[in-house]
Amino acid sequence: MNEKEQRLRSLREKAAALPLRPGVYLMKNSDGKVIYVGKSKALRNRVSSYFQGIERHNLKTLRMVMSVKDFDWMPTDSEIEALALENKLIKLYQPKYNIRLKDGKSYPYIRMPIKEAYPKIYVTRERKEDGARYFGPYSGISVAYEIVDSVKRIFGIPGCKYRFPQEIGKIRPCLYSQIGQCVAPCTGNVSTEEYALLMEDVTEFLRGNYRKTAAVLQERMTFAAENLRFELAARYRDRLKALERLQDKQKVVGAPGARYDAVSLYQGDLCSCLCLGYIRDGVLIDREYHVFGADQILEEEDLMDFLCRLYQRHTDIPPQICLGFGVCAENGALFSEYLVSLGVHTEIHEPKRGDKKAICELMHESAKEHAAEYIRQNEKGNTALATLSCLLGLASVPETIESVDISNLGNEQITAGLIRFTDGKPDKSGYRTFKFPEMAGQDDYYAMAECIRRRLRHKESWPLPDLLLLDGGKGHVTAVKAVLQEEGVILPVFGMVKDEYHKTRCITDGTGEISIAGEQSVFSLIYRIQEEVHRYTVGRMMQGKRKTLSRSILCDVPGVGEKKAALILKTFGGLAGVKQASVEEIASVKGINREIAETIVRFLKEKKK
């Protein structure tokens, strides 16, 4: 029996001993890293299925199974509890083979601080428990800002920086008030009751109830006209017209009042894409796309788990969610039960005909087009990474690359900058800076090695990259490899060598050189990485230098702190004036005695030498 068969047999035996109860399982690789998290209502059956008849698995699942060295499991009292625990563990471990949801902070919301007397609306990326109303999330920041602009035009919500009622009577009405695009609470002519009614209209609009909003505006316009309040009636009329113009631009896909989400999935060889269409009041108001890589497992159970995590961050969940192409409703009961646990009662529906079926088809086509565009945009990067992998003799294509550079000003501000590229693109969440105030002089090799040593201390909470590129030559690579060997870490390390004109020339493994001049895509990628790490490192180094320059050298005088230094500099008009002042003149400054004054004069004379 070979090693592979022995490993699978051991895993099968362990899985057979699991209980037939709900729970969560965590698959781990040979390094003990969690690569997949799943849940089941019968742990023994589900986990055992991975290690029996593996030839029946699709390619993605097979890759995961062949990487599993061991697994852990956690029992729960119910399947819905297992789902909640699974969501937490996926967020904690970010497993390679699970389909992942981007951090909620990256999605824009619209915030309405209703506790204020005259609230405005803002675009924000953070949803807090602060008593405010939040709408969204929206598919993109431009969509959110476009909606805010529409609200301001239709309802006349002020977009200025002033707070009301604090600023009422203190400022002049602006141009927006004069042209009728702002209700102008700054004039004092809008009561808090009137403004509260206006914000209720805005709330209905942001919830997608366009026809209800229009009906309310029509009713108020008629009432105002009948009571001879013609200016107010004219404002309602203008809002109605603006609302009608907005609706004319939007795609009507259903009957008035139709309110549901349509979900469809396109699966391809290179990537898959999930598309969600949001239909409110019969209008398709927004679409959201989620692209999954070729390695991520996309079975029905995984997809439903993903939808549960997705809707957990939604503020506006409709009474019905329609599942279209690629999304089976077999697990819809669990999905619905999970939404109930969030306090939402929603029907999970799989339309077979009619308008909703057509919308699901439209979402499937949109997902297919988005996936094709994603592939086109990433094709060059993927080609470069694959070619780079071949040139360097790597075991797999590097999804994540980290690069390090050292920068300094002589013997001061010695700084190491570390950047991360994910799928050939800068990943700012992986940028870090390391300072070396303990170093007495310049030593790039020591600084590079110490940077990597500090980096490795965080490898549990901050996963290591697939490839490490150093902005340096053989010496830098040798120094870093020694640290890796010392720490027992296996990680491909190469140096990016520059020529005498400070341009990328080749890559070194610490012994020989690998030319990249003949591979334009690889050359461009390495050039971008090298330029980015250099830009970032020099920028952080100069930032540190500016901070030290903003601190007066008088602070280095014993007995003189920042406050005393600032007072002395202010008294004499700067450092030049202090240098010309006598001991008696400096001692006359409040809080400065003669002893400190003599120390300052002596210190400045020594600095002059």
Side-chain angles (χ1 to χ4, degrees), residues 251-466:
K251 184 177 181 63
V252 177
V253 294
R259 181 181 174 82
Y260 61 93
D261 290 351
V263 184
S264 288
L265 173 72
Y266 166 76
Q267 293 203 59
D269 294 330
L270 298 178
C271 74
S272 300
C273 180
L274 184 73
C275 178
L276 295 88
Y278 302 119
I279 293 84
R280 301 293 182 268
D281 213 356
V283 174
L284 179 60
I285 63 169
D286 195 9
R287 293 180 226 207
E288 184 176 343
Y289 299 96
H290 295 272
V291 178
F292 310 118
D295 283 340
Q296 293 174 311
I297 297 175
L298 206 59
E299 295 178 355
E300 182 60 31
E301 186 180 84
D302 300 285
L303 191 58
M304 281 299 170
D305 294 348
F306 176 82
L307 287 174
C308 290
R309 300 199 302 276
L310 181 65
Y311 275 90
Q312 189 177 20
R313 62 176 176 78
H314 277 221
T315 62
D316 178 30
I317 301 178
Q320 188 179 75
I321 298 175
C322 295
L323 305 182
F325 287 88
V327 189
C328 182
E330 286 183 6
N331 291 318
L334 180 62
F335 185 20
S336 181
E337 187 180 348
Y338 183 76
L339 294 177
V340 169
S341 72
L342 300 178
V344 179
H345 294 272
T346 297
E347 177 195 2
I348 308 302
H349 178 57
E350 188 174 7
K352 302 297 183 182
R353 63 184 67 84
D355 290 343
K356 293 177 180 177
K357 173 74 170 178
I359 294 304
C360 288
E361 291 177 355
L362 177 63
M363 294 306 102
H364 183 261
E365 286 300 313
S366 297
K368 184 177 180 180
E369 291 172 6
H370 191 82
E373 180 61 27
Y374 175 85
I375 292 170
R376 282 194 293 271
Q377 289 181 357
N378 290 273
E379 197 169 40
K380 290 183 179 179
N382 290 337
T383 301
L385 290 171
T387 307
L388 177 64
S389 175
C390 293
L391 284 173
L392 303 185
L394 304 180
S396 61
V397 176
E399 294 181 10
T400 55
I401 300 173
E402 286 184 0
S403 183
V404 183
D405 188 18
I406 306 296
S407 186
N408 54 271
L409 286 172
N411 293 328
E412 296 182 356
Q413 295 300 322
I414 300 172
T415 304
L418 184 148
I419 68 166
R420 175 180 282 247
F421 269 54
T422 301
D423 292 330
K425 296 178 181 179
D427 180 359
K428 298 294 178 70
S429 65
Y431 283 30
R432 297 291 188 277
T433 307
F434 300 88
K435 297 282 188 176
F436 305 97
E438 74 280 3
M439 289 181 61
Q442 182 181 351
D443 186 344
D444 279 7
Y445 297 155
Y446 171 83
M448 187 76 79
E450 183 61 22
C451 169
I452 299 303
R453 185 174 281 107
R454 294 184 192 177
R455 165 68 179 92
L456 294 177
R457 292 173 191 165
H458 305 280
K459 63 178 182 293
E460 298 300 328
S461 58
W462 179 17
L464 293 176
D466 300 320

Side-chain angles (χ1 to χ4, degrees), residues 212-276:
K212 183 177 179 180
T213 304
V216 170
L217 291 174
Q218 180 69 48
E219 182 181 338
R220 290 179 185 168
M221 181 184 71
T222 303
F223 182 81
E226 289 174 350
N227 288 272
L228 307 181
R229 299 184 64 184
F230 299 115
E231 288 187 7
L232 180 59
R235 286 205 293 269
Y236 286 131
R237 178 202 63 202
D238 293 341
R239 290 177 196 170
L240 269 170
K241 288 183 177 179
L243 183 59
E244 289 170 1
R245 286 195 296 271
L246 178 65
Q247 286 181 294
D248 288 341
K249 293 179 181 178
Q250 294 178 320
K251 184 177 181 63
V252 177
V253 294
R259 181 181 174 82
Y260 61 93
D261 290 351
V263 184
S264 288
L265 173 72
Y266 166 76
Q267 293 203 59
D269 294 330
L270 298 178
C271 74
S272 300
C273 180
L274 184 73
C275 178
L276 295 88

